[in-house]
Amino acid sequence: MNNITIEERCKKAGIRITGQRKLIIEVLQKSNDHPDVEELFKRANAIDNKVSIATVYRTVRLLQDTGILSRLEFNDGKSRFEDAVREHHDHLIDIDSGEVIEFVDNEIEKIQNKIAERLGFDLVGHKLELYGKRNEK
């Protein structure tokens, strides 16, 4: 996959990189989870307390509108975000903790393609979210 950073894609898209935007982008790039705006604000504000929640909202909306970020909804009422330029993956969401686990399963990919083909389609994309509870062993 393309290793171009979010900041490089912003510059390519003509987005002006202010100091606060740069900080928000760095926080996004370092995130191993799927933070919502409030979590992004908390992380950015811990580094620079001059960052406002409004700036985070505006930056996230701008990055989403330009296709740099993808918005995810996991039925918990929060919009979460991840880099739009990533290898394909699916999500398993723990409904008790809210933890989001990324995974790729070749069998699932094959089955989805078979289903699309059987119904007369060429699959061009999909989004799979599984919801579950941890086994109590």
Side-chain angles (χ1 to χ4, degrees), residues 23 26-27 30 41-51:
L23 174 60
E26 287 172 1
V27 169
K30 290 178 183 172
F41 167 68
K42 192 165 97 178
R43 293 174 189 177
N45 196 264
I47 298 167
D48 178 356
N49 66 3
K50 292 181 183 83
V51 175

Side-chain angles (χ1 to χ4, degrees), residues 5-87:
T5 66
I6 292 174
E7 185 174 351
E8 290 168 330
R9 281 181 274 142
C10 286
K11 288 176 182 174
K12 205 172 198 176
I15 296 171
R16 193 168 59 93
I17 305 296
T18 64
Q20 291 189 355
R21 280 185 183 165
K22 184 178 181 76
L23 174 60
I24 294 163
I25 289 167
E26 287 172 1
V27 169
L28 278 163
Q29 288 180 153
K30 290 178 183 172
S31 296
N32 293 323
D33 56 354
H34 302 79
D36 62 8
V37 171
E38 284 78 18
E39 184 59 32
L40 283 172
F41 167 68
K42 192 165 97 178
R43 293 174 189 177
N45 196 264
I47 298 167
D48 178 356
N49 66 3
K50 292 181 183 83
V51 175
S52 72
I53 188 100
T55 300
V56 177
Y57 270 105
R58 282 192 302 270
T59 301
V60 166
R61 180 175 303 266
L62 177 64
L63 298 179
Q64 184 185 345
D65 289 348
T66 54
I68 293 169
L69 283 186
S70 292
R71 184 173 64 144
L72 306 168
E73 306 272 340
F74 294 133
N75 294 335
D76 62 357
K78 297 179 183 178
S79 292
R80 299 167 186 263
F81 299 91
E82 69 179 6
D83 191 338
V85 179
R86 301 186 58 195
E87 293 289 335

Side-chain angles (χ1 to χ4, degrees), residues 74 76 80 92-100 130-136:
F74 294 133
D76 62 357
R80 299 167 186 263
L92 171 63
I93 298 94
D94 181 326
I95 62 172
D96 291 327
S97 70
E99 178 186 12
V100 179
L130 303 174
Y131 296 85
K133 292 179 171 236
R134 291 218 180 259
N135 294 333
E136 307 226 359

